[in-house]
């Protein structure tokens, strides 16, 4: 197939590497000529340009821009596409993207490959980024099934674990396991900074170990990421935050009233439940579960 | 020196290994004969018994029992000790231990080596557990300085990073970086379980990755640990929890009112501040900072 990639960052670049290695002809569009040249030089794409005209021969186009740019990008893309071309995106929130883009192009399949490191940009592109990683495909009722299947087939060819769900269920679940943790972790760092005793803070900085490091990691990342989550998944994030606050209050209440039986029950429940959320066990570098297409 | 160790678990056992390798004569007391025999066989101690009489020749005794057993253990120990012997403990909360034990033995030095894995028991004892790890020594005003210096010297000989502070400052700081994270992380797991949609929970379990794994890790541990923290450091933990709740509310408020400037400010502050708490960088197996005695 001729596959287009608009946005040659870490996700777009990694897609390019894998799709070329599967024998597709990959055409890229980026905002800067330097990016286009680098992508060609690294053999991430067969050709790249700042001009959308290059997308005319594309059968399928991945839009891999920041979320805010997805709909505007599709608007620029549409005049150049053949009528049978499919567009898909890789944005980490689905409902607002699906709502904004589906009216612009009927053969649009919202998607979300859940892969990537904290590094961004074309330099961070690597092969096999999507292998064994979840890849959510979230068609609307109006999305042509054949288009959905085409995107799913490509995702499966990258050895990703494909999951179908609605955009709403996708956004609800990522609110729990991705967006809420960022706010919870950031609040933890912020709380420590509120400590008025400079001695206590200095000691805390010396004593903090892997427990603190791990619990706070996602709360100390690039602010743009947390901003994106809050802006685009605001409703689900607020819902999760309010539920979180209620559960936190239950812990506080148990400790305040010295209700140790209740506290023990909470902690036992969380110990029992956590393994169900672990595709990756706690040991370093263990391979993930090898689930195939679902 | 003749060094006694009461409680031959992971900390007591690891101390035994290191102290013997530094040329001390190590005498152990455990509740079960099998533990005593195993400790002798593994060369963790020179001798061990269920009887406290063995402690008569000890110059310094480490009490390495669960926190609840520290004061009762000292009561059993005291009749057997020479009057110049020093007692120290390794409990992870200091104020209640210091308050309970100092009246029983004037030469008591409260201490807390901050090392150890989640594994417990004599089988988990290893050499060099304390190297480059913080070791807090928290004397009271009444603690004889010579006794404090003796314990600090032993801790330093294990290549630990010795920090002096009050029991109160110790407990305040570990509330921030150890106890609060457990409750924050447990509340996160608990919140996810509250999701009424079984589809959303199932997807969350499939989509959860290293971010969720890391943010929840300390909240999915042995409930006994969280119970101990809450019971023995209750006041400081509640104080930290209340501050945490206020910071969380500030995040919720910013998102609710779409005050993106405020949210960005919060997230920038946490990104900037987190590295100050990282003795261990985020990369795996990086050596910690090599700070010496403070």
């Amino acid at each position: 197939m001729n596959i287009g990639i608009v946005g040659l960052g870490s996700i777009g670049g990694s897609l390019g590497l894998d799709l070329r290695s599967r024998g597709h002809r990959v055409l890229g569009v980026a905002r800067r000529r330097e990016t286009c040249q680098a992508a060609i030089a690294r053999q991430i794409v067969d050709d790249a340009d700042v001009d959308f005209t290059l997308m005319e021969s594309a059968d399928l186009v991945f839009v891999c821009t920041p979320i805010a740019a997805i709909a505007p990008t599709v608007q620029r893309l549409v005049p150049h596409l053949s009528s049978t071309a499919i567009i898909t995106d890789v944005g980490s929130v689905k409902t607002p993207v699906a709502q904004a883009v589906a009216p612009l192009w009927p053969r649009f399949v919202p998607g979300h490959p859940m892969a990537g490191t904290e590094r961004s940009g074309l330099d961070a592109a690597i092969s096999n980024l999507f292998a064994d990683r979840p890849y959510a495909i979230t068609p609307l009722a109006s999305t042509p099934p054949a288009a959905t299947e085409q995107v799913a087939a490509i995702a499966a060819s990258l050895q990703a674990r494909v999951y179908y769900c609605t955009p709403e269920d996708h956004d609800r679940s990522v609110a729990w396991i991705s967006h809420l943790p960022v706010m919870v972790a950031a609040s933890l760092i912020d709380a420590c900074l509120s400590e008025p005793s400079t001695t206590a803070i200095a000691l805390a900085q010396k004593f903090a170990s892997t427990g603190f490091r791990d619990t706070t990691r996602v709360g100390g990342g690039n602010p743009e990421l947390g901003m994106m989550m809050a802006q685009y998944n605001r409703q689900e994030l607020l819902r999760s935050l309010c539920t979180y606050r209620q559960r936190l209050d239950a812990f506080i209440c148990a400790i305040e009233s010295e209700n140790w039986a209740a506290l023990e029950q909470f902690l036992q429940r969380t110990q029992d439940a956590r393994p169900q959320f672990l595709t990756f066990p706690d040991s370093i570098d263990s391979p993930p579960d090898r689930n195939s297409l679902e």
Side-chain angles (χ1 to χ4, degrees), chain A:
Chain A
M1 289 175 76
N2 290 333
I3 299 185
I5 300 177
V6 182
L8 296 174
S10 60
I11 300 294
S14 301
L15 278 169
L17 283 168
D18 282 356
L19 295 169
R20 287 197 76 235
S21 76
R22 268 81 172 161
H24 300 289
R25 178 168 167 77
V26 176
L27 309 162
V29 170
R31 285 174 306 173
R32 303 186 313 136
R33 294 202 179 283
E34 296 85 350
T35 314
C36 296
Q37 285 156 8
I40 294 168
R42 275 194 62 190
Q43 299 184 35
I44 286 172
V45 296
D46 290 278
D47 197 4
D49 205 328
V50 298
D51 200 306
F52 279 80
T53 322
L54 193 59
M55 299 290 99
E56 281 172 356
S57 60
D59 304 301
L60 166 63
V61 180
F62 284 85
V63 177
C64 301
T65 64
I67 285 192
I70 295 177
T73 296
V74 171
Q75 274 170 332
R76 292 182 64 187
L77 191 48
V78 153
H80 300 278
L81 290 182
S82 89
S83 60
T84 55
I86 297 165
I87 304 177
T88 188
D89 78 307
V90 300
S92 58
V93 186
K94 302 283 21 105
T95 306
V97 171
Q99 284 172 351
V101 177
L104 304 177
W105 190 253
R107 295 168 69 76
F108 171 66
V109 182
H112 179 202
M114 300 184 182
T117 64
E118 282 146 7
R119 297 185 55 225
S120 63
L122 186 67
D123 288 344
I126 57 172
S127 301
N128 301 315
L129 182 65
F130 311 98
D132 292 309
R133 302 292 301 151
Y135 197 128
I137 293 186
T138 71
L140 300 171
S142 54
T143 311
T148 302
E149 282 154 27
Q150 179 68 268
V151 176
I154 293 288
S157 76
L158 306 176
Q159 296 184 295
R161 289 183 277 129
V162 177
Y163 296 95
Y164 292 94
C165 60
T166 64
E168 290 77 17
D169 279 337
H170 168 277
D171 293 351
R172 181 167 292 185
S173 59
V174 298
W176 289 118
I177 54 85
S178 178
H179 304 170
L180 176 62
V182 167
M183 303 306 163
V184 161
S187 298
L188 178 55
I189 302 167
D190 209 25
C192 294
L193 300 176
S194 308
E195 168 57 62
S197 158
T198 48
T199 306
I201 288 201
L203 287 171
Q205 289 171 351
K206 299 294 186 188
F207 293 166
S209 182
T210 56
F212 189 81
R213 178 196 72 185
D214 291 350
T215 314
T216 58
R217 184 172 65 77
V218 300
N222 186 341
E224 276 180 31
L225 196 59
M227 297 286 290
M228 180 278 296
M229 294 170 173
Q231 287 166 343
Y232 288 93
N233 204 18
R234 179 172 164 274
Q235 209 168 35
E236 290 302 336
L237 178 52
L238 280 172
R239 188 171 161 277
S240 292
L241 276 163
C242 285
T243 302
Y244 176 79
R245 196 160 166 270
Q246 286 169 16
R247 300 317 303 150
L248 183 74
D249 282 351
F251 273 89
I252 293 175
C253 186
I255 298 169
E256 213 156 40
S257 58
E258 299 180 79
N259 186 346
W260 306 128
L263 181 65
E264 187 170 21
Q265 197 181 43
F266 293 154
L267 293 172
Q268 190 61 63
R269 185 161 69 216
T270 57
Q271 184 186 42
D272 293 341
R274 182 171 173 266
Q276 300 156 33
F277 290 83
L278 299 186
T279 307
F280 305 97
D282 285 320
S283 56
I284 294 160
D285 289 337
S286 292
D289 290 342
R290 295 190 169 276
N291 288 333
S292 55
L293 235 123
E294 298 219 346

